[in-house]
Amino acid sequence: MKTLKDGIKPACFPPDNCCGCFACVNICTQNAVSMEENTEGFLYPQINRELCKQCGHCETVCPSVNNMQNPYNISQKPDAYAAVHCDEKIREKSSSGGLFSALSAMILWDGGIVFGAAIENDLSLLHIGINKVEDLWKLRGSKYYQSSINYAYQQVKRELLSDRKVLFSGTPCQIAGLYGFLGKKKSNPNLITVDVICHGVPSPKVFRKYIEECESDRRGKVTQVFFRDKISGWKSYSMTTVMEYDSQKTVFDDRNQRCSMTLHQDPFLRVFLQDICLRPSCHECIYARFPRVADITLADYWGVAYVHPEMDDDRGTSLVLLNSQKGRLLWDNIQDTVKAVSTDLDEAVQYNPSAYSSHAPHKDRDVFFNELDAEPLSILIGRYCKKGPFFKRIFRKLKKHLG
């Protein structure tokens, strides 16, 4: 991280375990805080000493400084469900069972607004708000690199002040950042938060390198990315890139435009799941535990075929955790659009270690980043990414029990 200039920061800000949530950027009335990329590609807050009034608000709202783990009325042991969307087309386009779409649609039908991460035209990842069900496709599906919140927290606050229902989705630390920014307003009855059971956020710089190498190898431009394509099934999900070619130079059919590789084959998924390029704060995540930070938690229900075989068809099944009364009320309102069965929480998370623990850093993490600019991903993967703890713990169990 870049060194801040002396004499312009509160005593503990920014903390070494900064999660990049943007709460400090949103709270600063002087526009003195900006987010800048470090050598690993992660964004960290930087303070302009000429603009900073040393009010300390940035430190006050910071979830990493204030350990905002259980901000209000969150259950220690939530109600848990295995669930799928009744609309198979929505489920097919979703990473898991399509429950985010069901929850979001209910808020939108009621005149509310839904916030989540959307991939921009340049493949950057930005938190945006949508007002129409027709735009849900922008937020649907997993994106495996860290989104920029930008000024979304400020927009959430304005919507709540106008008495509008808001659903805000994101990683647990982004939810905590929102709570820190809102202060007492986080208890607004119109605010519903949805977090995910998060493996950690990989470096956007690594993702950009992956895209650059895809374009170089295939001599085209990547225009779309699907991190959880179910073309090979939900359990062995694929990373799919869609290419655009100059028709005057090369003739390609549809098969050449799409490239899909499973999680065992795709370079980006491999480095992500091997924990070699995660943000440092993810390795000591205070949100990878219970109680959860949001009203509702969504995740893949890995191992569902072992616990609830009737809910598994390899098309994706969601694990839904209802952590607050607000979450339960929204859940009750979507029962006409989902198929769900109650499940035991301990059984539900036994194949999803990210629910209750963070992942230790890869032993070669530092040298991987030191060599990132000089070597292709394929070389670094061959050098450092063997089949590690994640694969041994999860996929061996799944193969044994799920067939």
Side-chain angles (χ1 to χ4, degrees):
M1 182 170 63
K2 296 178 181 179
T3 302
L4 299 177
K5 297 178 181 179
D6 293 335
I8 62 158
K9 58 174 182 173
C12 301
F13 187 83
D16 292 337
N17 61 338
C18 168
C19 60
C21 72
F22 277 71
C24 53
V25 174
N26 279 260
I27 201 65
C28 184
T29 58
Q30 305 301 314
N31 295 320
V33 185
S34 62
M35 300 295 282
E36 296 186 21
E37 192 173 282
N38 71 353
T39 57
E40 294 181 349
F42 297 106
L43 295 176
Y44 285 89
Q46 305 294 297
I47 302 176
N48 185 324
R49 70 173 179 176
E50 296 179 356
L51 298 177
C52 178
K53 302 299 184 183
Q54 300 203 41
C55 63
H57 290 161
C58 52
E59 187 177 17
T60 301
V61 303
C62 176
S64 298
V65 170
N66 298 288
N67 195 10
M68 296 174 189
Q69 185 183 344
N70 192 4
Y72 68 92
N73 198 27
I74 298 294
S75 302
Q76 291 285 339
K77 190 167 184 178
D79 300 331
Y81 293 87
V84 298
H85 202 294
C86 292
D87 187 328
E88 283 299 324
K89 291 183 179 179
I90 291 177
R91 188 181 172 204
E92 179 184 356
K93 296 175 182 177
S94 302
S95 295
S96 300
L99 269 294
F100 171 75
S101 294
L103 296 166
S104 299
M106 182 58 63
I107 297 295
L108 295 170
W109 288 331
D110 202 21
I113 184 170
V114 175
F115 289 85
I119 299 177
E120 301 291 284
N121 290 335
D122 63 355
L123 301 184
S124 61
L125 194 59
L126 180 68
H127 250 68
I128 65 170
I130 63 167
N131 301 288
K132 300 182 295 184
V133 174
E134 294 78 13
D135 289 334
L136 258 177
W137 64 270
K138 297 178 182 179
L139 309 184
R140 184 183 292 128
S142 299
K143 291 96 176 178
Y144 290 144
Y145 55 111
Q146 190 166 22
S147 64
S148 169
I149 292 292
N150 204 9
Y151 292 98
Y153 294 161
Q154 293 184 7
Q155 187 180 355
V156 169
K157 184 177 181 179
R158 290 194 296 269
E159 300 292 351
L160 292 174
L161 289 174
S162 66
D163 201 31
R164 192 177 189 187
K165 289 187 176 180
V166 174
L167 186 148
F168 189 93
S169 64
T171 61
C173 57
Q174 290 173 334
I175 303 298
L178 174 64
Y179 291 155
F181 170 76
L182 291 176
K184 294 180 180 179
K185 294 181 177 64
K186 65 179 176 285
S187 299
N188 190 306
N190 283 334
L191 174 65
I192 298 287
T193 55
V194 177
D195 71 352
V196 293
I197 291 180
C198 178
H199 184 88
V201 290
S203 164
K205 181 177 180 179
V206 173
F207 176 71
R208 291 196 302 268
K209 185 177 181 71
Y210 166 80
I211 293 297
E212 291 168 0
E213 293 182 4
C214 283
E215 293 178 338
S216 176
D217 292 344
R218 295 162 61 196
R219 300 178 184 179
K221 179 177 177 58
V222 176
T223 57
Q224 291 179 285
V225 179
F226 301 97
F227 292 84
R228 294 288 301 278
D229 196 332
K230 297 176 182 176
I231 188 170
S232 58
W234 170 58
K235 299 186 187 77
S236 56
Y237 57 82
S238 298
M239 182 92 154
T240 294
T241 52
V242 181
M243 304 293 292
E244 182 180 87
Y245 297 96
D246 187 336
S247 59
Q248 296 180 345
K249 295 181 179 180
T250 313
V251 177
F252 287 90
D253 60 25
D254 289 342
R255 289 173 297 176
N256 297 114
Q257 292 176 336
R258 297 178 68 92
C259 177
S260 298
M261 289 186 282
T262 68
L263 76 170
H264 301 289
Q265 302 166 331
D266 183 81
F268 184 74
L269 290 181
R270 287 190 64 189
V271 294
F272 168 48
L273 294 175
Q274 295 271 326
D275 307 325
I276 201 169
C277 62
L278 300 186
R279 190 179 182 98
S281 61
C282 297
H283 296 300
E284 296 181 358
C285 178
I286 63 173
Y287 307 107
R289 64 187 67 172
F290 293 97
R292 303 295 299 181
V293 71
D295 295 300
I296 298 174
T297 296
L298 298 178
D300 294 285
Y301 198 139
W302 300 126
V304 67
Y306 182 58
V307 183
H308 298 286
E310 75 280 7
M311 293 293 291
D312 176 65
D313 54 11
D314 203 25
R315 296 179 185 176
T317 306
S318 294
L319 172 62
V320 182
L321 307 180
L322 306 179
N323 306 310
S324 74
Q325 185 59 27
K326 286 197 294 184
R328 294 182 186 94
L329 290 174
L330 180 56
W331 172 253
D332 290 342
N333 288 334
I334 67 167
Q335 292 309 295
D336 290 342
T337 60
V338 302
K339 174 186 175 184
V341 296
S342 179
T343 189
D344 179 82
L345 178 64
D346 294 332
E347 286 190 317
V349 300
Q350 65 175 318
Y351 298 106
N352 201 330
S354 297
Y356 50 82
S357 63
S358 53
H359 298 270
H362 193 288
K363 64 181 180 65
D364 294 315
R365 182 189 185 281
D366 290 343
V367 69
F368 171 86
F369 275 109
N370 288 338
E371 298 178 3
L372 183 61
D373 291 332
E375 300 280 13
L377 278 181
S378 58
I379 297 297
L380 296 177
I381 289 170
R383 189 175 293 165
Y384 302 118
C385 293
K386 309 302 180 184
K387 287 201 171 183
F390 181 83
F391 290 94
K392 290 180 181 178
R393 266 187 310 186
I394 304 305
F395 295 106
R396 184 184 296 167
K397 288 184 178 181
L398 290 176
K399 194 169 184 180
K400 176 181 177 182
H401 292 301
L402 307 183

